[in-house]
Every structure is written in structure tokens, then in C-alpha cells.
Amino acid sequence: MGRRRDADRITEPVDTGLAELVPDPDRSGSWTLLLDGAPQSHVDLTDPTHLEFEYVRRLAAAIDLVAPAGAPLRVLHLGGGALTLPRYVAATRPGSTQRVVEVDGALVELVRRALPWRADPRLKVRVGDARAVLASCREASYDVVVADVFAGARTPARLTSVEYAAEAARVLHPAGWYLANVADGPPLRHARGQVATVRTVLPRACLVADAAVLRGRRYGNLVLVAGRQDPPVAALTRRAAGDWFPGRVLAGAELDRFTGGAAVVHDDGAIDSTPPPPGIFSVRR
């Protein structure tokens, strides 16, 4: 099956499904990447600091706040998509060392060709399995690990367990941070389980999301920030409240109540994350 163009849209089969690059009608030079119809990334090739997706802005806010502004960081990105967040970090924290792990080699080549990122010898993209690459990393070699891995709009089971979380904690500097995009819907069993699981190894945490998602009223993205020291809750709360789509931050006793005694997930009982409801995704084409 060959590549085809329909106006400016690009559609191409990749290793994990059918990729589409859809131009943003409101922003010249901006594109949305979809995989089998599910939005994966939005990038502005002229302004990498423009972040269209709500959960990406929350991940970026965490990265902005966990270290002094502009200070270089060592960041491991599990899941690449169109490299929205790596482009942001490169622009806002020059000199950062970044490693991006993406399982879909054909997708990497499509993005490299159609949505090229700025040349930076410190930004390396590796095709591989996220957990296998994580296991190969040196202890305390990263300041931030970002987990944003989806297959068929679901996080694979092998990236939801305490054994996986322990590997992420191992490669983090003692003052480092684990950031995860957790997608879930009512009754939020997956999200509660992920908070309980990650806090087993990185106990100081907070959760950022839309209030309706946190209350279990609709499906959406929740951003987990976890480490070995207290996260910047007050600053994250201000950023979330001032977003285009205001969000809430749960920490301390509120986060304990949210978790509600959820069981820690182990490899032998792990399952893929909750699938999104049918018809939830729609992108202007």
C-alpha cells in the first residue's frame, strides 16, 4: 500500500496502524498526527512552545516547574509520536540531553520526513520497546522520565506494573521526576491503580486533570507527577487553573482519597488501560 495525499493531508501505513498527518486549519505550519483515527500528537513547526493538547501542556508545566527555568535536563521520553514534548524541551531548556523511545520505526521515519525537528545532537530517537530500553539504562541517568505510550489508544499492560515503575525509579536521579499520561474514564479503576502502583516506588506525587475527569464523569487524560520529594503542587495548581481548559491538582490527603485503597498492579496481573469510548475522537480535516 503506497502513500497518498488528499489535499495537504498525508496518510501512510506504519508498523502499528494507519498514520494520518492533518494540517491545522487555524495555525499555519501546524499538524495533528493520528494513528488509526486516535490523535497522538499536535506540533507547530514554527513555534515548538505552542502546545495544543491539554495533557501535553500539563506535562510541559511539570517540566517547567521541577527545575530552574532554562536549566538543561536529562529527559527520557517513553513514546515519541511527533516529538511534541522533546521539541518543547529543546526550545525552552537549550542544552538538554533527550532520548526518545518509539516502537514504531516507520512512524519515526514518517515524522522525520514530513515534520522534521530542528537538528540537535543532544536529541536522539531510538526505535525500540519502551520497557526494554528502560531496563538497559544506567541507574540515576535521567532527571525526568516521561511516559506517554499508547497502542490502539491504550497503554500496554507491561507499562502499568510496579516492576515497570521500579525500573523507571531506578533510572531517575534521586531528585528526579516521573511524569505519566494516564488515560481513563469512569470509574477510574486504571488511574487509581496507577497512582497506587507508582507511589510504591516514588511516594511523593500529585495528579493533574480536568475536574470532570477526576470526578469520574468522563473519559480523559490525567497527568501523574511522582518523585522522592514533594512536587511543586502550588505552582502546578496555578498553572492548571490558568489553562485554556482549567484543571485541578490532587495531592496529599486528596490524592489518598482518590486512590481509595486501589491495589498495586504487578506484571502477572497487569492489563491494558481502559479503552476510550467509541466515537470520542474527532479532528477537523
Side-chain angles (χ1 to χ4, degrees), residues 24-239:
D24 186 333
D26 297 326
R27 291 187 68 88
S28 177
S30 294
W31 298 77
T32 299
L33 165 67
L34 300 95
L35 190 59
D36 288 339
Q40 300 292 315
S41 306
H42 180 282
V43 293
D44 185 328
L45 298 179
T46 62
D47 180 8
T49 66
H50 175 80
L51 305 174
E52 189 75 16
F53 289 179
E54 176 184 304
Y55 83 88
V56 178
R57 292 196 299 276
R58 288 171 181 159
L59 288 169
I63 291 175
D64 287 347
L65 295 169
V66 298
L73 292 173
R74 299 168 299 167
V75 186
L76 175 63
H77 301 265
L78 303 178
L83 276 68
T84 306
L85 205 54
R87 298 173 201 249
Y88 178 86
V89 172
T92 58
R93 294 183 177 275
S96 292
T97 301
Q98 300 189 81
R99 186 180 188 185
V100 182
V101 183
E102 170 58 56
V103 73
D104 192 326
L107 179 61
V108 170
E109 289 310 309
L110 171 61
V111 171
R112 191 190 306 274
R113 185 172 66 246
L115 307 177
W117 52 92
R118 295 172 185 173
D120 184 348
R122 297 181 183 87
L123 172 55
K124 299 185 184 301
V125 181
R126 176 175 175 180
V127 176
D129 173 79
R131 185 157 168 182
V133 172
L134 189 64
S136 72
C137 294
R138 297 190 318 275
E139 184 175 344
S141 55
Y142 289 98
D143 302 307
V144 178
V145 173
V146 181
D148 188 13
V149 181
F150 287 84
R154 303 175 71 178
T155 301
R158 58 192 273 100
L159 302 180
T160 67
S161 68
V162 70
E163 291 86 354
Y164 153 77
E167 281 295 300
R170 180 186 64 80
V171 308
L172 279 174
H173 183 273
W177 294 96
Y178 176 75
L179 313 178
N181 174 26
V182 180
D184 199 9
L188 297 176
R189 289 192 188 95
H190 171 68
R192 297 179 203 279
Q194 287 305 287
V195 174
T197 298
V198 172
R199 288 178 80 189
T200 301
V201 292
L202 297 168
R204 308 293 183 85
C206 66
L207 197 63
V208 190
D210 178 89
V213 175
L214 288 170
R215 294 184 184 121
R217 293 180 179 173
R218 67 173 180 85
Y219 183 94
N221 299 89
L222 307 93
V223 168
L224 175 62
V225 180
R228 299 178 178 95
Q229 57 192 337
D230 289 337
V233 173
L236 280 170
T237 299
R238 289 191 292 271
R239 285 283 288 269

